[in-house]
Amino acid sequence: MKNLHPYVPGEQPKDRVYIKLNANENPYPPCKQVEKEVCKFIKKNPMKLTVYPDPDSNELHEAIASMLNKTGGVLCRAKVDGKNCEPAPEDKIPFIVTPDMIYSGNGSDEVLSFVFYAFFDSDTKLVLPEFTYSFYPVYAGFYNIPTDIVPMNSDWSLNKEEMLSRAKKNNSGLIFANPNAPSGIALTREQVKQMLDTASKDKIFVVDEAYCDFGGESCIPLLKDYKNLVIVRTFSKSLCSAGMRLGYIVADPELVKAVTTVKNSLNHFPIDAIAQVAGKTACLNPRYYAECAKKVVHERTEFQKFLKDNNWDFIPSSTNFVLTKKPGISGQEVYQRIKKEGILVRHFSTPGIEDYVRITIGNEKQMLALKNAMQKI
């Protein structure tokens, strides 16, 4: 325990009310149908709260599979027509995602924990990008998995060739976020395919698509040909449900069974009955969430124009956040000065990105307040 370095989440304010743009949460509420179905479930079925929920979340998995088939896994590009929702041509999945390809858990963080335990080895160095989701090294430490950290390219993109070279040398699997966090840069599906073609076929290749709905290219279509691919996704970002704690993987059914075995060895009932109802209902209303994702992308575009016009450096993003800095001013000072204006953004003290702040894209009103605060710096 003395050697563990726990994950540090975004600041949770207690002393005052802030505009909260520091945790990549969605600025829009869940759809009204979620509220309605949850209230109806509690009112009409109170005794269901006294018994254990479905341990396999079968109805939820059916709904997740249906949503992915209808959207292609990229909500911001999904075509919305009346009550209908269908994937953009470039996102259409060339097969039917089935419920046995889905495993869900108590947030994608728990899902990632089980993925680490199931597929990565304590006697093999796991290859990680230098700047990535900071929970990866936390889980590596928790499960005593050694890591091999690969520096980023000068443009903040992943050094794919070096990652593959080290994975081959270490005889290890791979994990990275796509789009990446905190840079916001996305690899194309073709780039990931090229990596899969080079990577070892008997090692697990994990792509974390937490932010894919805001502009990435989902790798779900690649599951048809790559049985060692595991895709991790979450309800927290594009499905407006960070407080509900739901995440899932999409993978070959045999890999889903492996993660399920890990889950059943720790907690047979990880997803509560109310979360299952809420998650199922959200997935049955993809049109609403597609509209929310489109609004986030619009605000992101406008914000990046603002940054350019006001001489802020930033990394063009495919996510619901932007990593930016003001030349000549430390990231810590930028964070503090924006906080004084009643707005929270995220500052990392990690060497290499300490001059940057990561800013979540909020709604129009929140972004206007942020721009006013940033113009004072």
Side-chain angles (χ1 to χ4, degrees):
M1 286 186 66
K2 291 180 180 178
N3 292 325
L4 292 180
H5 301 282
Y7 175 76
V8 179
E11 185 177 353
Q12 302 292 328
K14 297 178 181 179
D15 56 333
R16 60 176 285 189
V17 177
Y18 287 91
I19 295 175
K20 201 166 176 292
L21 302 177
N22 66 333
N24 298 344
E25 297 147 325
N26 201 297
Y28 303 104
C31 69
K32 289 291 185 182
Q33 197 64 24
V34 168
E35 178 184 339
K36 179 180 177 182
E37 290 300 317
V38 167
C39 291
K40 184 170 73 173
F41 174 80
I42 296 172
K43 186 175 181 179
K44 291 190 174 182
N45 306 283
M47 290 304 295
K48 286 195 174 182
L49 299 183
T50 73
V51 298
Y52 290 112
D54 174 10
D56 298 316
S57 305
N58 288 294
E59 291 186 4
L60 174 61
H61 293 179
E62 290 175 5
I64 291 173
S66 174
M67 175 190 66
L68 294 175
N69 291 321
K70 289 180 179 179
T71 66
V74 187
L75 284 167
C76 74
R77 284 197 298 271
K79 294 184 177 180
V80 176
D81 181 17
K83 293 184 178 181
N84 298 319
C85 190
E86 63 180 56
E90 63 268 34
D91 297 320
K92 188 172 177 60
I93 300 171
F95 59 88
I96 301 298
V97 178
T98 53
D100 63 348
M101 298 174 66
I102 307 295
Y103 165 81
S104 61
N106 187 17
S108 63
D109 290 335
E110 182 191 72
V111 171
L112 281 165
S113 171
F114 293 159
V115 165
F116 267 72
Y117 187 86
F119 301 129
F120 300 141
D121 303 318
S122 60
D123 59 352
T124 304
K125 286 186 177 181
L126 175 64
V127 175
L128 296 176
E130 180 182 9
F131 299 115
T132 188
Y133 183 32
S134 52
F135 227 137
Y136 300 161
V138 171
Y139 282 138
F142 186 78
Y143 292 119
N144 198 31
I145 300 168
T147 58
D148 191 356
I149 307 301
V150 177
M152 313 293 283
N153 290 323
S154 59
D155 64 354
W156 290 89
S157 63
L158 300 184
N159 189 336
K160 306 185 299 298
E161 294 76 15
E162 183 64 19
M163 289 175 64
L164 288 166
S165 174
R166 295 198 193 182
K168 185 176 181 179
K169 177 182 178 181
N170 298 341
N171 192 29
S172 71
L174 275 171
I175 183 170
F176 57 89
N178 190 43
N180 190 44
S183 68
I185 295 177
L187 298 177
T188 66
R189 187 183 304 120
E190 180 59 29
Q191 287 176 310
V192 177
K193 180 180 183 301
Q194 291 170 2
M195 293 180 71
L196 281 161
D197 286 335
T198 303
S200 174
K201 302 300 183 290
D202 63 350
K203 295 296 180 179
I204 300 302
F205 192 107
V206 182
V207 180
D208 186 346
E209 293 189 348
Y211 301 100
C212 191
D213 278 318
F214 300 107
E217 293 184 8
S218 178
C219 291
I220 292 174
L222 301 180
L223 290 169
K224 179 180 179 181
D225 299 315
Y226 300 92
K227 302 301 182 183
N228 62 328
L229 174 61
V230 174
I231 296 170
V232 181
R233 297 179 67 98
T234 181
F235 279 64
S236 296
K237 316 303 181 185
S238 57
L239 292 176
C240 311
S241 300
M244 192 168 66
R245 309 312 304 131
L246 272 178
Y248 62 98
I249 67 170
V250 194
D252 182 84
E254 289 304 310
L255 299 186
V256 168
K257 288 179 182 178
V259 177
T260 302
T261 296
V262 175
K263 180 265 288 188
N264 287 339
S265 301
L266 178 69
N267 179 5
H268 196 47
F269 302 98
I271 303 179
D272 68 72
I274 295 173
Q276 290 190 39
V277 170
K280 172 187 172 182
T281 307
C283 290
L284 295 178
N285 291 272
R287 180 181 180 277
Y288 171 84
Y289 295 98
E291 295 287 6
C292 290
K294 293 176 191 295
K295 287 190 283 188
V296 168
V297 170
H298 172 76
E299 291 298 331
R300 182 185 72 208
T301 300
E302 293 300 310
F303 182 53
Q304 292 185 151
K305 289 179 183 177
F306 165 86
L307 293 173
K308 184 177 181 180
D309 292 343
N310 287 271
N311 300 313
W312 288 72
D313 292 341
F314 66 95
I315 302 172
S317 174
S318 296
T319 66
N320 69 335
F321 61 83
V322 177
L323 194 66
T324 184
K325 68 177 181 178
K326 186 69 170 178
I329 304 179
S330 71
Q332 177 66 23
E333 183 179 347
V334 169
Y335 157 76
Q336 291 290 356
R337 291 176 67 172
I338 293 177
K339 184 176 181 180
K340 286 181 180 178
E341 300 295 326
I343 303 169
L344 291 179
V345 298
R346 188 78 185 266
H347 174 251
F348 299 95
S349 59
T350 309
I353 58 172
E354 70 273 20
D355 286 335
Y356 286 83
V357 291
R358 191 197 67 193
I359 300 177
T360 305
I361 302 300
N363 60 33
E364 182 179 9
K365 183 178 179 180
Q366 291 172 329
M367 296 308 289
L368 178 60
L370 172 67
K371 292 171 188 176
N372 290 336
M374 294 177 75
Q375 283 180 323
K376 298 178 181 179
I377 299 177

